Amino acid sequence: MFTVGLVLAVMILPIISAISREVFSQAPALHREAALALGATRWEMIRMAVLPYGKSGIIGGAMLGLGRALGETMAVAIVLSGGAGATLNLISSSNPSTIASNIALRFPEATGLGVNTLIASGLVLFVITLVVNMLARWVVNRRADFSGAN
Amino acid sequence: MSTAVQSAPERPAPQSAVRSRRRLPRLAPLGLYLAGIALGAGLSALTGFGVVSTVIYGVLLGTLAVYVVTRAVEGPRKATDRLVTCLVTTAFGLAMVPLVSLVWTVLDNGLPRLDGQFFTNSMFRVVGEGGGAYHAILGTLIITALATLISVPIGLMTAIYLVEYATGRLKRSITFFVDVMTGIPSIVAGLFAFALFTLLFGNDVRMGVMGAVALSVLMIPVVVRSCEEVLKLVPNELREASYALGVPKWRTVVKVVLPTAIAGLGTGITLSVARVVGETAPLLVTVGLITGTNLNPFDGRMATLPVFAYYQLTQPGTATQAFLDRAWTAALVLIILVMALNVVARLISRFFAPSTGR
């Protein structure tokens, strides 16, 4: 499971950094220049002008990355050899599968009620990611509302 | 005479506390960092030389050296600044490691089978070595083209509606849900297409167009988002000038807004194609895989590159190495395809960009 966690971390890293970059580049240039003009070093400028401005954007980006990781299918299906049991041990050899990879692995051979079970688990996954994404968008958009004031 | 005048306003140079503060030379932090890395290499050599231990020791020692020396010479504020610079650079390097490693691994493993046979043969009646991905490449192209055909008109018109027509709550809720839909798991889109076609055509139906529908569910939100951003950039003066000439709204959109934004639209659509061309899960669920070539997306299973790579990897036959080689080469072809699409997007935005001359 730990390996899959690392793989997913690598996969969502570009998303988080892209969103954070966008948020940082929107931080008002006047604030930065003012901080620098007052004699702040570059890190002090970032900490006082850029980070407070982009805080909600960073959180939102991280949650969008979380949503992407929740729905990631094939990487998990290939790396994780998922079993049926549930365990919280990260580095044991028996791993519980994820919803998405479980669907991908079982679906081609499923028949009858099995198909319905898998589609129902897909619905659960859909609801979870929907909630995570809605929260993330809400956090990001809340910032956008008052960014025009400056 | 004149020399006396010039030498008259001679004052003692102001030596305030701020100016007399010592500063490190410009290249000193870099030199200290490199010295730290050299020291790390020495430390690593003590315990048997290794690249990984060299980098870890070196980065730690270099950061420490920069921090300590800067703190001693320039004071704590500058020292914190340099420390953070070191940390941020290290994080960037750490993020680049998987990317470089991925490209290198795929190139290394995929190049041996990147030959003519791979592009001209299908897997029909191939159990061991040889064979190729002719059927999978064609299947990917057909299904992606169908998905583009479905999602570009819908996505583009939605974007036009959002920018030119919609107002108030409806607009806000559509934008919100489009945003949310960009993050739905790809396998859920596949299940949706499967359920839809099972309802329409009965059980056990497998068609290429199912995959196209699943992909377009993933693609439409991306198209809407990128087209909306581009259409927002079209200056309002152009629209108003058009209205002032008595041109109706639809004609303004078709003749003024769209031509102005054509470069951005092309780029956005190409990038969204690149986004879905590598999707595995929805195609695995809906289209499946066959070994022969099927060019008709409305009848039977089709092969696609990602699913092909997946099955070559997970279900190797007797000649395991041949199957693994084909999987790597399929992954390499897929990466090349996506990179080519990105390059095409760049070219579109470059060649169509100066639309002001119209």
Side-chain angles (χ1 to χ4, degrees):
Chain A
M1 273 207 290
F2 188 65
T3 321
V4 184
L6 280 183
V7 171
L8 289 182
V10 170
M11 290 185 77
I12 65 173
L13 199 145
I15 300 167
I16 296 180
S17 65
I19 292 177
S20 303
R21 195 188 64 114
E22 232 165 73
V23 172
F24 290 156
S25 68
Q26 280 175 3
L30 278 178
H31 288 194
R32 301 174 188 206
E33 285 160 9
L36 288 177
L38 288 173
T41 60
R42 187 156 37 152
W43 163 242
E44 285 165 346
M45 178 273 284
I46 292 171
R47 204 188 53 187
M48 292 189 293
V50 179
L51 286 187
Y53 182 85
K55 198 167 57 184
S56 60
I58 300 169
I59 298 171
M63 287 184 69
L64 287 181
L66 174 67
R68 184 60 63 85
L70 276 173
E72 181 50 47
T73 312
M74 297 323 286
V76 182
I78 288 177
V79 177
L80 185 80
S81 50
T87 169
L88 293 178
N89 189 351
L90 279 179
I91 49 176
S92 74
S93 60
S94 64
N95 303 306
S97 189
T98 68
I99 296 180
S101 76
N102 188 41
I103 297 173
L105 290 175
R106 301 260 172 90
F107 202 85
E109 280 91 34
T111 48
L113 207 60
V115 176
N116 298 20
T117 314
L118 291 177
I119 291 182
S121 67
L123 178 67
V124 172
L125 179 67
F126 178 69
V127 169
I128 294 174
T129 45
L130 200 67
V131 168
V132 170
N133 279 320
M134 282 170 89
L135 272 178
R137 285 296 168 189
W138 181 68
V139 172
V140 174
N141 288 347
R142 206 176 44 160
R143 179 193 56 79
D145 284 344
F146 57 82
S147 70
N150 296 307
Chain B
M1 193 54 184
S2 61
T3 52
V5 172
Q6 275 180 358
S7 60
E10 204 172 303
R11 285 171 298 176
Q15 283 285 337
S16 70
V18 176
R19 286 222 183 145
S20 68
R21 175 167 287 171
R22 284 175 300 166
R23 303 200 54 166
L24 284 170
R26 261 180 79 82
L27 286 175
L30 189 66
L32 278 170
Y33 197 75
L34 290 179
I37 286 181
L39 201 62
L43 204 64
S44 157
L46 285 181
T47 59
F49 188 78
V51 177
V52 177
S53 60
T54 302
V55 170
I56 293 175
Y57 286 145
V59 166
L60 281 178
L61 285 174
T63 311
L64 200 68
V66 171
Y67 181 71
V68 169
V69 172
T70 315
R71 192 179 172 95
V73 178
E74 294 186 1
R77 282 180 55 208
K78 285 275 183 188
T80 314
D81 184 38
R82 294 254 161 80
L83 176 68
V84 172
T85 311
C86 285
L87 289 183
V88 168
T89 317
T90 309
F92 170 71
L94 208 59
M96 289 306 284
V97 169
L99 176 66
V100 174
S101 155
L102 184 143
V103 171
W104 174 252
T105 315
V106 175
L107 275 178
D108 193 33
N109 290 303
L111 277 180
R113 271 308 315 275
L114 197 67
D115 45 21
Q117 201 185 11
F118 191 80
F119 291 100
T120 51
N121 285 25
S122 73
M123 286 296 290
F124 193 56
R125 289 183 184 154
V126 174
V127 287
E129 296 182 6
Y134 171 72
H135 59 317
I137 294 172
L138 277 182
T140 290
L141 293 181
I142 292 173
I143 290 181
T144 313
L146 264 179
T148 314
L149 260 181
I150 299 173
S151 42
V152 164
I154 299 177
L156 191 57
M157 285 184 189
T158 311
I160 292 174
Y161 175 77
L162 283 177
V163 174
E164 305 287 334
Y165 292 88
T167 49
R169 286 187 71 146
L170 185 63
K171 176 180 177 175
R172 245 181 298 142
S173 56
I174 290 179
T175 313
F176 184 74
F177 275 102
V178 165
D179 276 348
V180 170
M181 288 289 280
T182 51
I184 66 164
S186 52
I187 193 145
V188 172
L191 288 179
F192 162 73
F194 175 84
L196 180 71
F197 276 77
T198 305
L199 277 180
L200 292 180
F201 297 101
N203 281 333
D204 288 335
V205 60
R206 286 283 194 278
M207 287 194 277
V209 72
M210 281 168 78
V213 168
L215 288 187
S216 62
V217 170
L218 291 171
M219 197 172 160
I220 287 172
V222 184
V223 174
V224 172
R225 280 303 291 178
S226 50
C227 290
E228 191 193 348
E229 294 298 327
V230 172
L231 289 179
K232 270 186 197 164
L233 292 180
V234 174
N236 243 343
E237 285 85 349
L238 292 179
R239 297 192 184 94
E240 284 158 8
S242 176
Y243 293 147
L245 292 173
V247 182
K249 191 159 189 169
W250 69 271
R251 237 178 131 75
T252 308
V253 171
V254 173
K255 295 280 179 183
V256 175
V257 177
L258 288 185
T260 314
I262 190 79
L265 296 179
T267 310
I269 288 168
T270 318
L271 286 180
S272 64
V273 172
R275 163 89 177 71
V276 297
V277 77
E279 283 293 349
T280 319
L283 297 177
L284 184 76
V285 168
T286 53
V287 184
L289 186 72
I290 51 165
T291 54
T293 310
N294 175 15
L295 297 184
N296 182 4
F298 297 99
D299 179 33
R301 296 164 183 257
M302 288 177 83
T304 49
L305 261 181
V307 182
F308 174 76
Y310 174 68
Y311 274 121
Q312 294 291 319
L313 177 72
T314 53
Q315 298 179 356
T318 46
T320 313
Q321 193 54 44
F323 278 81
L324 286 186
D325 284 347
R326 280 195 291 266
W328 281 111
T329 310
L332 180 62
V333 171
L334 205 55
I335 289 183
I336 294 173
L337 205 61
V338 172
M339 283 182 99
L341 281 171
N342 277 295
V343 170
V344 167
R346 283 278 164 93
L347 290 181
I348 290 177
S349 72
R350 175 169 299 174
F351 284 125
F352 289 90
S355 52
T356 45
R358 269 165 212 281

mmCIF file with all atom_site columns, all heavy atoms in Angstrom, chain B residues 5-16:
data_model
loop_
_atom_site.group_PDB
_atom_site.id
_atom_site.type_symbol
_atom_site.label_atom_id
_atom_site.label_alt_id
_atom_site.label_comp_id
_atom_site.label_asym_id
_atom_site.label_entity_id
_atom_site.label_seq_id
_atom_site.pdbx_PDB_ins_code
_atom_site.Cartn_x
_atom_site.Cartn_y
_atom_site.Cartn_z
_atom_site.occupancy
_atom_site.B_iso_or_equiv
_atom_site.pdbx_formal_charge
_atom_site.auth_seq_id
_atom_site.auth_comp_id
_atom_site.auth_asym_id
_atom_site.auth_atom_id
_atom_site.pdbx_PDB_model_num
ATOM 1  N N   . VAL B 1 5  ? 36.874 74.733 -6.577  1.00 0.00 ? 5  VAL B N   1
ATOM 2  C CA  . VAL B 1 5  ? 35.417 74.680 -6.450  1.00 0.00 ? 5  VAL B CA  1
ATOM 3  C C   . VAL B 1 5  ? 34.942 73.233 -6.318  1.00 0.00 ? 5  VAL B C   1
ATOM 4  O O   . VAL B 1 5  ? 34.098 72.894 -5.504  1.00 0.00 ? 5  VAL B O   1
ATOM 5  C CB  . VAL B 1 5  ? 34.749 75.362 -7.656  1.00 0.00 ? 5  VAL B CB  1
ATOM 6  C CG1 . VAL B 1 5  ? 33.257 75.141 -7.638  1.00 0.00 ? 5  VAL B CG1 1
ATOM 7  C CG2 . VAL B 1 5  ? 35.071 76.845 -7.634  1.00 0.00 ? 5  VAL B CG2 1
ATOM 8  N N   . GLN B 1 6  ? 35.552 72.381 -7.147  1.00 0.00 ? 6  GLN B N   1
ATOM 9  C CA  . GLN B 1 6  ? 35.094 70.989 -7.107  1.00 0.00 ? 6  GLN B CA  1
ATOM 10 C C   . GLN B 1 6  ? 35.433 70.305 -5.798  1.00 0.00 ? 6  GLN B C   1
ATOM 11 O O   . GLN B 1 6  ? 34.671 69.474 -5.320  1.00 0.00 ? 6  GLN B O   1
ATOM 12 C CB  . GLN B 1 6  ? 35.750 70.214 -8.259  1.00 0.00 ? 6  GLN B CB  1
ATOM 13 C CG  . GLN B 1 6  ? 34.950 70.381 -9.530  1.00 0.00 ? 6  GLN B CG  1
ATOM 14 C CD  . GLN B 1 6  ? 35.578 69.624 -10.674 1.00 0.00 ? 6  GLN B CD  1
ATOM 15 O OE1 . GLN B 1 6  ? 36.628 69.016 -10.515 1.00 0.00 ? 6  GLN B OE1 1
ATOM 16 N NE2 . GLN B 1 6  ? 34.955 69.702 -11.818 1.00 0.00 ? 6  GLN B NE2 1
ATOM 17 N N   . SER B 1 7  ? 36.574 70.667 -5.213  1.00 0.00 ? 7  SER B N   1
ATOM 18 C CA  . SER B 1 7  ? 36.965 69.956 -3.996  1.00 0.00 ? 7  SER B CA  1
ATOM 19 C C   . SER B 1 7  ? 36.292 70.540 -2.759  1.00 0.00 ? 7  SER B C   1
ATOM 20 O O   . SER B 1 7  ? 36.390 69.986 -1.686  1.00 0.00 ? 7  SER B O   1
ATOM 21 C CB  . SER B 1 7  ? 38.488 69.996 -3.810  1.00 0.00 ? 7  SER B CB  1
ATOM 22 O OG  . SER B 1 7  ? 38.883 71.352 -3.710  1.00 0.00 ? 7  SER B OG  1
ATOM 23 N N   . ALA B 1 8  ? 35.567 71.696 -2.969  1.00 0.00 ? 8  ALA B N   1
ATOM 24 C CA  . ALA B 1 8  ? 34.976 72.357 -1.807  1.00 0.00 ? 8  ALA B CA  1
ATOM 25 C C   . ALA B 1 8  ? 33.908 71.513 -1.098  1.00 0.00 ? 8  ALA B C   1
ATOM 26 O O   . ALA B 1 8  ? 33.967 71.342 0.117   1.00 0.00 ? 8  ALA B O   1
ATOM 27 C CB  . ALA B 1 8  ? 34.389 73.707 -2.230  1.00 0.00 ? 8  ALA B CB  1
ATOM 28 N N   . PRO B 1 9  ? 32.894 70.929 -1.829  1.00 0.00 ? 9  PRO B N   1
ATOM 29 C CA  . PRO B 1 9  ? 31.850 70.220 -1.092  1.00 0.00 ? 9  PRO B CA  1
ATOM 30 C C   . PRO B 1 9  ? 32.283 68.813 -0.692  1.00 0.00 ? 9  PRO B C   1
ATOM 31 O O   . PRO B 1 9  ? 31.515 67.874 -0.779  1.00 0.00 ? 9  PRO B O   1
ATOM 32 C CB  . PRO B 1 9  ? 30.700 70.170 -2.098  1.00 0.00 ? 9  PRO B CB  1
ATOM 33 C CG  . PRO B 1 9  ? 31.366 70.141 -3.418  1.00 0.00 ? 9  PRO B CG  1
ATOM 34 C CD  . PRO B 1 9  ? 32.651 70.885 -3.267  1.00 0.00 ? 9  PRO B CD  1
ATOM 35 N N   . GLU B 1 10 ? 33.493 68.668 -0.264  1.00 0.00 ? 10 GLU B N   1
ATOM 36 C CA  . GLU B 1 10 ? 33.976 67.341 0.125   1.00 0.00 ? 10 GLU B CA  1
ATOM 37 C C   . GLU B 1 10 ? 33.519 67.026 1.537   1.00 0.00 ? 10 GLU B C   1
ATOM 38 O O   . GLU B 1 10 ? 33.831 67.760 2.474   1.00 0.00 ? 10 GLU B O   1
ATOM 39 C CB  . GLU B 1 10 ? 35.506 67.327 0.054   1.00 0.00 ? 10 GLU B CB  1
ATOM 40 C CG  . GLU B 1 10 ? 36.064 65.939 -0.142  1.00 0.00 ? 10 GLU B CG  1
ATOM 41 C CD  . GLU B 1 10 ? 37.552 65.996 -0.398  1.00 0.00 ? 10 GLU B CD  1
ATOM 42 O OE1 . GLU B 1 10 ? 37.980 66.673 -1.361  1.00 0.00 ? 10 GLU B OE1 1
ATOM 43 O OE2 . GLU B 1 10 ? 38.292 65.380 0.364   1.00 0.00 ? 10 GLU B OE2 1
ATOM 44 N N   . ARG B 1 11 ? 32.743 65.954 1.655   1.00 0.00 ? 11 ARG B N   1
ATOM 45 C CA  . ARG B 1 11 ? 32.245 65.573 2.972   1.00 0.00 ? 11 ARG B CA  1
ATOM 46 C C   . ARG B 1 11 ? 32.795 64.191 3.338   1.00 0.00 ? 11 ARG B C   1
ATOM 47 O O   . ARG B 1 11 ? 33.142 63.409 2.433   1.00 0.00 ? 11 ARG B O   1
ATOM 48 C CB  . ARG B 1 11 ? 30.711 65.504 2.959   1.00 0.00 ? 11 ARG B CB  1
ATOM 49 C CG  . ARG B 1 11 ? 30.051 66.876 2.969   1.00 0.00 ? 11 ARG B CG  1
ATOM 50 C CD  . ARG B 1 11 ? 28.573 66.724 2.721   1.00 0.00 ? 11 ARG B CD  1
ATOM 51 N NE  . ARG B 1 11 ? 28.315 66.123 1.407   1.00 0.00 ? 11 ARG B NE  1
ATOM 52 C CZ  . ARG B 1 11 ? 27.119 65.816 0.965   1.00 0.00 ? 11 ARG B CZ  1
ATOM 53 N NH1 . ARG B 1 11 ? 26.072 66.001 1.722   1.00 0.00 ? 11 ARG B NH1 1
ATOM 54 N NH2 . ARG B 1 11 ? 26.953 65.309 -0.230  1.00 0.00 ? 11 ARG B NH2 1
ATOM 55 N N   . PRO B 1 12 ? 32.816 63.916 4.620   1.00 0.00 ? 12 PRO B N   1
ATOM 56 C CA  . PRO B 1 12 ? 33.183 62.553 4.997   1.00 0.00 ? 12 PRO B CA  1
ATOM 57 C C   . PRO B 1 12 ? 32.093 61.584 4.569   1.00 0.00 ? 12 PRO B C   1
ATOM 58 O O   . PRO B 1 12 ? 30.900 61.860 4.715   1.00 0.00 ? 12 PRO B O   1
ATOM 59 C CB  . PRO B 1 12 ? 33.287 62.610 6.534   1.00 0.00 ? 12 PRO B CB  1
ATOM 60 C CG  . PRO B 1 12 ? 32.474 63.791 6.926   1.00 0.00 ? 12 PRO B CG  1
ATOM 61 C CD  . PRO B 1 12 ? 32.593 64.791 5.797   1.00 0.00 ? 12 PRO B CD  1
ATOM 62 N N   . ALA B 1 13 ? 32.479 60.457 3.961   1.00 0.00 ? 13 ALA B N   1
ATOM 63 C CA  . ALA B 1 13 ? 31.502 59.487 3.467   1.00 0.00 ? 13 ALA B CA  1
ATOM 64 C C   . ALA B 1 13 ? 30.660 58.958 4.618   1.00 0.00 ? 13 ALA B C   1
ATOM 65 O O   . ALA B 1 13 ? 31.190 58.634 5.678   1.00 0.00 ? 13 ALA B O   1
ATOM 66 C CB  . ALA B 1 13 ? 32.234 58.330 2.790   1.00 0.00 ? 13 ALA B CB  1
ATOM 67 N N   . PRO B 1 14 ? 29.325 58.955 4.450   1.00 0.00 ? 14 PRO B N   1
ATOM 68 C CA  . PRO B 1 14 ? 28.465 58.473 5.537   1.00 0.00 ? 14 PRO B CA  1
ATOM 69 C C   . PRO B 1 14 ? 28.665 56.980 5.772   1.00 0.00 ? 14 PRO B C   1
ATOM 70 O O   . PRO B 1 14 ? 28.442 56.178 4.881   1.00 0.00 ? 14 PRO B O   1
ATOM 71 C CB  . PRO B 1 14 ? 27.048 58.775 5.038   1.00 0.00 ? 14 PRO B CB  1
ATOM 72 C CG  . PRO B 1 14 ? 27.177 58.826 3.565   1.00 0.00 ? 14 PRO B CG  1
ATOM 73 C CD  . PRO B 1 14 ? 28.549 59.304 3.257   1.00 0.00 ? 14 PRO B CD  1
ATOM 74 N N   . GLN B 1 15 ? 29.112 56.634 6.926   1.00 0.00 ? 15 GLN B N   1
ATOM 75 C CA  . GLN B 1 15 ? 29.357 55.220 7.254   1.00 0.00 ? 15 GLN B CA  1
ATOM 76 C C   . GLN B 1 15 ? 28.321 54.764 8.263   1.00 0.00 ? 15 GLN B C   1
ATOM 77 O O   . GLN B 1 15 ? 28.597 54.578 9.435   1.00 0.00 ? 15 GLN B O   1
ATOM 78 C CB  . GLN B 1 15 ? 30.765 55.067 7.835   1.00 0.00 ? 15 GLN B CB  1
ATOM 79 C CG  . GLN B 1 15 ? 31.869 55.112 6.810   1.00 0.00 ? 15 GLN B CG  1
ATOM 80 C CD  . GLN B 1 15 ? 31.959 53.813 6.011   1.00 0.00 ? 15 GLN B CD  1
ATOM 81 O OE1 . GLN B 1 15 ? 31.514 52.796 6.477   1.00 0.00 ? 15 GLN B OE1 1
ATOM 82 N NE2 . GLN B 1 15 ? 32.517 53.870 4.816   1.00 0.00 ? 15 GLN B NE2 1
ATOM 83 N N   . SER B 1 16 ? 27.080 54.643 7.793   1.00 0.00 ? 16 SER B N   1
ATOM 84 C CA  . SER B 1 16 ? 26.043 54.215 8.729   1.00 0.00 ? 16 SER B CA  1
ATOM 85 C C   . SER B 1 16 ? 26.186 52.724 9.032   1.00 0.00 ? 16 SER B C   1
ATOM 86 O O   . SER B 1 16 ? 26.907 52.001 8.372   1.00 0.00 ? 16 SER B O   1
ATOM 87 C CB  . SER B 1 16 ? 24.661 54.486 8.134   1.00 0.00 ? 16 SER B CB  1
ATOM 88 O OG  . SER B 1 16 ? 24.441 53.606 7.068   1.00 0.00 ? 16 SER B OG  1
#
